[in-house]
Amino acid sequence: MKSGKTHHRAQQPAHPVHPDHASMTQILDESAMLPIHYRIWALSTGGTLLSGVSMFLLGVTLPLVIPIFALPATSVGLAAAMLMGGTVIGALVGGHLADHFGRKPVMIMDMILLMIAALLAALAPNAAVLIAAELLVGVGIGMDFPVGSSYLAEFMPQRRRGRMMAAAIAVQSIGMLTGAGFALVLLQSAHPGDDTWRWLLAAEALLVLPYLLGRLTLPESVRWCMGRGHNAEAARILERIAPQQKEMLAAMAQHLGKKIHHVTKIRPGRHMGIGTLFSPEYRRRTFLVTMPWFFMDVATYGVGLFTTILLGTMRNGGNVGTIGVVGRDLANALDSGKVDIFLLLGSVLSLWAIPWLGRIHMQMIGFGGMALGMGLLYFATGMAGGAAAHLQLILIGFMVFNLFMTAGPNATTFILPTEMYPTQVRAFSAGFAAAIAKIGATISAFLLPVIQSALGVTMVLLLMGTVSLLGLVLTYSFRVQGRGLTLEEHHGPALPQ
């Protein structure tokens, strides 16, 4: 994460770690990429995939539901805000539960909740039930974000951790494109007032099933086991990664007994929780992982949830015209799908750029590109003939925003919280960071349609550009070195700035 090409290796932790524990983490960090690693990666992406699917499908569904349930602008914003608000609750609860009861049980629990919530949304008889169901969808997704990211970070070999985690958040872009695919197929034969919107929402439940079944056979996190003193279980899981070291691992487990693996900047006997995040040792890191993510989500979810609606407003000033609600929604969904391809392209770029340039550099570059994209949209709305006369420039603005967002901060804000904190509070800390971010997303999702209705789309674009610049400034202000370090090396004595 350091901005230069070289880095200082962290000193040994202030409180010595048992050599057998160190050997176990070394096996994890130095392992080659094995089939089990790819399987763990694939099954850890449930929250990221479904967040993309749910965000796109809700954005496409809302224009269809508005006339059916006679939704005012405040209710439209509330439906989107509940999806985001649920992630705040889920991130805090999921991270806390995962640190206490293990990563695997929570990863199964949140998929069950998502299955129930998606079906409830699809069968909603009125707006109130739909809004409540979207809240539960958000809770399930929010639970999975910190748990899945912590689980993945704790298993991946050190040399591949950044790339594999960038690939995991890239699945969010695939989720949006998957949502676009469902929308384009189902909207082809849709008619005003029919049940197409229900099938769109039911598609989420279909995607949950393979994650739920696959996760039943996953191992628990080795680092979580070691951090709770479950060393025998940790050794058995490690045998799947290093079967040739089976006898040595069994001897290590017997020697360790129930000793707890504790690597942190604060004393082992100190209670670890919210106080750890704001202790002098971790305060700077907490500002780094929360504040830029907050502003990124204000922009990302505000623009992402309402890309279809914003495109429609810019295309024809919000008039339905002769093509009708469904026809307009299909046309806007097609354009949304075009610009969302750049979400995937940016995600692919992040796999190369983040390991090469580092987390901090790419986060700042990404925020700058997001501001540029919003600037292009703002410029287009002020040109002669208005935005409708410059649709290509509008699309380019969205494409630039999406490309830089997924190449930079969308990936780095997902990675950083899992590296900044020790195992005992890793999921809670990642959940806390995600919750702060989703508060920004909730505020944006609720207020954006209200601001657009009262002040126009130009003010929305100006606000989104401003918060993108704030993300850049805060990343620079609270940057922390640490590029190339293992999870344990991050928690030696304070690294020089």
Side-chain angles (χ1 to χ4, degrees), residues 377-441:
L377 293 176
Y378 182 83
F379 178 71
T381 59
M383 293 175 68
H390 305 283
L391 183 60
Q392 292 304 314
L393 185 58
I394 293 295
L395 293 177
I396 290 171
F398 277 112
M399 289 170 182
V400 169
F401 179 90
N402 285 349
L403 179 71
F404 279 92
M405 182 267 291
T406 52
N410 192 57
T412 55
T413 54
F414 180 74
I415 297 170
L416 285 170
T418 66
E419 299 177 333
M420 293 288 102
Y421 303 96
T423 300
Q424 281 82 357
V425 291
R426 180 168 291 120
F428 172 74
S429 303
F432 179 80
I436 295 297
K438 301 316 172 193
I439 290 173

Side-chain angles (χ1 to χ4, degrees), residues 230-263:
H230 304 162
N231 295 301
E233 182 180 358
R236 285 194 297 271
I237 297 168
L238 277 173
E239 288 175 11
R240 300 170 66 173
I241 295 174
Q244 72 279 9
Q245 301 186 52
K246 179 177 181 179
E247 293 183 3
M248 184 186 74
L249 286 167
M252 285 181 183
Q254 185 175 9
H255 189 208
L256 286 167
K258 295 187 179 298
K259 289 185 176 68
I260 291 175
H261 180 231
H262 187 107
V263 182

Side-chain angles (χ1 to χ4, degrees), residues 54-310:
S54 63
M55 184 165 63
F56 190 95
L57 289 182
L58 182 60
V60 172
T61 299
L62 284 175
L64 302 179
V65 174
I66 288 171
I68 295 174
F69 290 151
L71 296 180
T74 51
S75 294
V76 174
L78 185 61
M82 286 298 100
L83 177 62
M84 296 299 100
T87 63
V88 176
I89 300 169
L92 290 173
V93 172
H96 177 75
L97 292 175
D99 281 337
H100 283 78
F101 300 108
R103 314 311 194 206
K104 179 180 175 178
V106 180
M107 290 173 72
I108 293 171
M109 184 192 315
D110 59 47
M111 287 297 114
I112 294 173
L113 176 59
L114 274 169
M115 177 76 74
I116 295 170
L119 292 175
L120 181 62
L123 298 172
N126 52 52
V129 175
L130 176 62
I131 290 171
E134 289 301 325
L135 174 67
L136 292 179
V137 170
V139 171
I141 291 171
M143 289 177 68
D144 203 73
F145 252 74
V147 185
S149 63
S150 297
Y151 182 78
L152 185 60
E154 288 167 356
F155 261 112
M156 289 299 108
Q158 188 271 329
R159 296 184 307 278
R160 300 293 297 275
R161 187 177 69 244
R163 180 166 282 120
M164 295 305 291
M165 294 196 68
I169 194 64
V171 174
Q172 187 177 49
S173 305
I174 296 174
M176 294 194 74
L177 291 173
T178 302
F182 278 117
L184 294 176
V185 169
L186 292 172
L187 287 173
Q188 293 285 349
S189 56
H191 302 285
D194 68 8
D195 287 338
T196 299
W197 67 272
R198 296 187 186 276
W199 291 106
L200 285 168
L201 295 178
E204 294 179 42
L206 181 65
L207 294 171
V208 171
L209 188 59
Y211 283 104
L212 175 59
L213 297 177
R215 288 179 175 190
L216 294 173
T217 59
L218 283 177
E220 183 53 85
S221 163
V222 173
R223 281 185 164 96
W224 182 85
C225 291
M226 293 161 58
R228 304 294 288 188
H230 304 162
N231 295 301
E233 182 180 358
R236 285 194 297 271
I237 297 168
L238 277 173
E239 288 175 11
R240 300 170 66 173
I241 295 174
Q244 72 279 9
Q245 301 186 52
K246 179 177 181 179
E247 293 183 3
M248 184 186 74
L249 286 167
M252 285 181 183
Q254 185 175 9
H255 189 208
L256 286 167
K258 295 187 179 298
K259 289 185 176 68
I260 291 175
H261 180 231
H262 187 107
V263 182
T264 177
K265 292 176 177 292
I266 64 176
R267 293 186 176 278
R270 182 170 169 179
H271 174 70
M272 301 189 74
I274 188 69
T276 305
L277 277 61
F278 292 96
S279 66
E281 297 87 350
Y282 287 101
R283 189 180 302 137
R284 182 186 182 94
R285 295 169 177 233
T286 299
F287 290 144
L288 171 66
V289 303
T290 54
M291 297 175 71
W293 198 355
F294 173 88
F295 286 113
M296 189 206 74
D297 272 16
V298 169
T300 300
Y301 282 84
V303 174
L305 270 170
F306 295 99
T307 296
T308 303
I309 294 175
L310 287 171

